[in-house]
Amino acid sequence: MKFELCDEELAGLEQELEDAGGLARLQTLAEMAWHLRQRDSLRALKLIAESERRLAIAQAAGKPLPPPLAARLGLRLALAASEIAVHFCRLDEAHTQLRRARACLLGLSEADYAWAVGDCWLVEAALAKASGERSRELQALRQAESVCAASGDAQRAGIARGVACSEFSISQSADEHAPAASGASVAGGPAAEAWQLAAQAFPLCLREPATAAGLFLRAAELARGMGMRRFVCIVTMNAGNAWLELGDLNNAASCFEQAAELAARTGWPVLMGTSQTQIGRVLRHLGRFEESQTVLHEALALLRVAPPGTIKAFACSELALTLLSLGQAPASVAVMDEAIALYRAAQSNVNLALNLVRQARAQAQLGATEAALAAASEAQALIERFGYTALAVELAEALAEVHRHCGAKLPPPPGMTAPSATIHFAQTALHRGMSIPGWKPPPALLAYLADAWAEADEMAQAYSYARLARLAHEQGDALKLKDPRTMLHLLGYRSLLAARASEPVAPPSLRPAVEPTLPASGPLSAGPESLTPKESQILQLLARNYSNKEIAQSLGVSTETVKWHLKGLYGKLAAGSRRHAVTRARTLGMLHSGV
């Protein structure tokens, strides 16, 4: 029996089932149940129940099957039931069924024994992964690869090899495991090739994201015709993640849409929770932070059935980023600590490095310099060890943030020629990104550089980066879907749409690509901490009726720099004039007493 069937082969098996009777029907039922375990797991469970009933009737009638055949069918039904139980996160049941399958091994013929042992190890690896037992999972994969290679079954050998390479590449245990073979021709057919393409893609996610996205999508296409629904869903989401690394929200959203629709059809809570996490992620990138927070809490509720592991860690890390965007840095740090602990326990080095960088940034905003530098240092060691090129960009951005908030306490970096460490690291991020194929400078990074140069009173550089930021925004808007409501609908998040159904909608040509999300308290999302130090100083002087020239003399900067900061100040206060800005600041308690 094959480990995976293509759609055409499955259609042939379906016809056999309709025509078969007696013992032939029982055998076909067991085979059909196995091949529907991912395509339609609820129907597979019905076929398993029918098979068990027929076996019980034959036993009661004194007509038991020959022992080798009974063992073969019993093993196949138990393995199918175990894998389906894993998908529904019924892990005790999955353990019981796996033990039952292994008990059948002794009754098998010699011809069946080799592939059956390999199948047991592959199902055990899936169960260990769902249970969060990383060491057990990797050990099971080593056993599966060895046994399947010796079985002479090219498909099983190729699949076991690809699964093992994929999982080891996530931990980046390159010294323990050779990478999957590349090339157009892979022994074992489409199922094996899909796994081995994924194995090639995983190490490239933070080195060459565009290449990784292409490999993941090719793998998904091959696997789709083999009915490997969970695999298709996961690698499609991974392709979306790679597109996000490149700042391509349009392609990312398309991937997440496909994955969300497929996950919903399976009914598997963990897969649905994972795809819900991706929806929350897209909402955050759209600037819809409160909605993102709601969705991510829903995702974590779906994931309650799962033990601690990388899936929960992913949801926690995304929630932490959303909380940070909402200005809730202390809560963000606490949630990210949980994600980091889960990734560390799972030996998921690529995700550990990524989230350490994010934690460094959040700690910097809290002024926790030592904690920020410790997280950045650990992340840098992982980046250098495993060559996470794309992540080195985010690390430089995080270090810019550390120096921006804590720079007075820190020595300048070696070889610095820029006016400040903040500019040095932000420009390092830009230069590193430009060396990555397909990378586009994020508007936020360019705007950050513009503000940093303005802080240094270098207005020519500030205006240059501001123009680049504006161009990047315009180009980015051209790539995004024009209606965020449409995007949410495509992603399957209909509850938000229903709540907003009564809102008047402007024609698409008049509506911005991304609608701003404002908190209930008004347009200012934070208190005085949302202003830069220079903006806060200028605000106090503005309240004393200082002119631009007087403000410039008081602060020792040019009048052009004052105008620059006034523009930012007006935007944050939603004010249209100097008087309006002062009135708004007094209302919000942002002025010193007596001013």
Side-chain angles (χ1 to χ4, degrees):
M1 183 188 296
K2 283 187 174 182
F3 193 82
E4 304 287 5
L5 287 184
C6 69
D7 291 340
E8 292 77 10
E9 290 171 318
L10 184 70
L13 190 62
E14 186 86 65
Q15 187 60 50
E16 285 180 34
L17 184 62
E18 288 185 13
D19 300 338
L23 183 57
R25 179 170 179 81
L26 183 56
Q27 291 177 283
T28 309
L29 276 171
E31 188 172 356
M32 193 75 184
W34 171 255
H35 290 297
L36 287 176
R37 70 195 187 281
Q38 284 202 34
R39 285 176 165 96
D40 188 345
S41 52
L42 294 179
R43 186 186 171 205
L45 289 173
K46 292 179 181 178
L47 297 181
I48 291 169
E50 182 183 346
S51 301
E52 300 282 9
R53 187 176 69 253
R54 286 174 175 269
L55 284 169
I57 290 171
Q59 187 72 28
K63 299 178 181 178
L65 300 181
L69 179 58
R72 189 173 194 258
L73 293 179
L75 177 132
R76 184 52 54 201
L77 293 170
L79 283 180
S82 181
E83 187 172 323
I84 292 169
V86 167
H87 295 325
F88 284 105
C89 228
R90 299 194 292 262
L91 302 184
D92 289 343
E93 179 185 336
H95 276 289
T96 299
Q97 292 290 355
L98 182 57
R99 285 195 295 270
R100 179 185 160 206
R102 285 210 158 101
C104 295
L105 288 172
L106 294 176
L108 292 177
S109 66
E110 187 176 344
D112 291 334
Y113 184 80
W115 62 257
V117 171
D119 288 5
C120 286
W121 282 118
L122 285 169
V123 172
E124 177 164 342
L127 175 53
K129 184 178 184 69
S131 303
E133 301 175 66
R134 184 63 168 168
S135 296
R136 178 187 167 201
E137 177 195 359
L138 297 179
Q139 180 59 31
L141 288 174
R142 289 189 187 97
Q143 295 287 350
E145 186 179 5
S146 174
V147 170
C148 290
S151 72
D153 185 318
Q155 188 192 59
R156 279 181 170 81
I159 289 172
R161 173 74 172 163
V163 178
C165 288
S166 295
E167 291 299 338
F168 276 91
S169 69
I170 292 171
S171 292
Q172 286 294 315
S173 303
D175 52 336
E176 301 178 44
H177 205 281
S182 59
S185 177
V186 175
E193 185 176 355
W195 270 109
Q196 296 194 34
L197 284 170
Q200 294 171 46
F202 279 118
L204 297 175
C205 289
L206 291 176
R207 296 174 185 163
E208 300 175 34
T211 303
L215 290 170
F216 280 131
L217 292 175
R218 281 171 55 200
E221 189 59 35
L222 287 168
R224 191 173 288 110
M226 302 298 293
M228 298 157 61
R229 284 195 171 185
R230 182 183 178 280
F231 177 89
V232 171
C233 197
I234 294 297
V235 296
T236 302
M237 284 191 280
N238 281 326
N241 291 333
W243 287 123
L244 276 184
E245 282 295 323
L246 294 168
D248 191 335
L249 182 58
N250 210 47
N251 272 323
S254 175
C255 291
F256 295 148
E257 168 208 339
Q258 295 174 46
E261 289 178 354
L262 184 56
R265 290 202 297 271
T266 67
W268 302 336
V270 172
L271 201 59
M272 291 169 67
T274 306
S275 66
Q276 188 88 329
T277 300
Q278 298 286 18
I279 292 172
R281 194 177 191 202
V282 170
L283 286 166
R284 176 169 56 80
H285 278 273
L286 284 170
R288 308 182 78 95
F289 305 127
E290 292 178 351
E291 293 161 334
S292 172
Q293 183 180 13
T294 299
V295 173
L296 290 167
H297 280 302
E298 290 173 359
L300 284 165
L302 282 167
L303 295 172
R304 275 202 302 259
V305 297
T310 56
I311 294 170
K312 278 189 176 177
F314 175 49
C316 286
S317 69
E318 288 303 316
L319 177 59
L321 291 174
T322 295
L323 290 171
L324 191 61
S325 298
L326 285 166
Q328 300 175 29
S332 171
V333 166
V335 175
M336 188 63 84
D337 275 340
E338 183 178 352
I340 287 170
L342 291 169
Y343 280 132
R344 202 187 301 280
Q347 304 169 44
S348 183
N349 291 322
V350 60
N351 290 305
L352 176 59
L354 176 62
N355 286 280
L356 283 166
V357 169
R358 291 168 172 174
Q359 188 71 318
R361 204 162 189 168
Q363 293 281 18
Q365 291 187 20
L366 288 173
T369 309
E370 290 186 8
L373 289 175
S377 177
E378 185 179 356
Q380 185 162 3
L382 290 167
I383 289 167
E384 291 174 354
R385 180 181 174 190
F386 300 121
Y388 300 145
T389 309
L391 191 49
V393 177
E394 289 196 42
L395 177 62
E397 291 185 72
L399 288 170
E401 197 75 359
V402 172
H403 280 267
R404 177 189 169 205
H405 289 279
C406 320
K409 308 174 188 176
L410 299 172
M416 186 182 88
T417 56
S420 69
T422 298
I423 293 173
H424 169 84
F425 282 112
Q427 293 202 154
T428 298
L430 185 62
H431 295 153
R432 286 175 177 174
M434 296 302 289
S435 69
I436 299 172
W439 188 85
K440 301 169 187 173
L445 176 58
L446 296 170
Y448 188 91
L449 273 163
D451 286 339
W453 279 107
E455 287 284 341
D457 205 19
E458 296 279 355
M459 299 313 299
Q461 290 278 22
Y463 282 119
S464 175
Y465 277 112
R467 283 193 295 273
L468 290 173
R470 186 173 63 254
L471 286 171
H473 269 299
E474 291 170 358
Q475 291 168 359
D477 288 346
L479 291 173
K480 293 175 185 174
L481 295 180
K482 296 303 179 186
D483 186 356
R485 299 167 199 268
T486 302
M487 180 180 287
L488 297 177
H489 176 77
L490 291 172
L491 290 168
Y493 194 64
R494 294 179 176 82
S495 59
L496 283 178
L497 298 171
R500 297 175 177 273
S502 59
E503 292 182 8
V505 181
S509 60
L510 302 180
R511 192 166 56 252
V514 180
E515 297 173 285
T517 300
L518 301 178
S521 60
L524 191 66
S525 61
E529 67 273 13
S530 67
L531 302 182
T532 66
K534 276 286 192 300
E535 287 169 347
S536 294
Q537 291 174 322
I538 290 173
L539 176 61
Q540 307 306 318
L541 297 175
L542 208 62
R544 295 188 175 97
N545 294 317
Y546 276 44
S547 67
N548 286 2
K549 184 177 180 180
E550 289 169 333
I551 292 173
Q553 290 173 345
S554 177
L555 298 179
V557 297
S558 67
T559 55
E560 283 297 308
T561 298
V562 172
K563 290 178 184 177
W564 175 277
H565 290 301
L566 280 174
K567 183 179 177 183
L569 186 63
Y570 290 167
K572 290 177 182 179
L573 291 170
S577 67
R578 301 164 75 90
R579 178 180 291 182
H580 190 193
V582 172
T583 302
R584 288 282 294 148
R586 283 205 176 97
T587 301
L588 294 163
M590 297 174 70
L591 291 172
H592 298 156
S593 59
V595 176

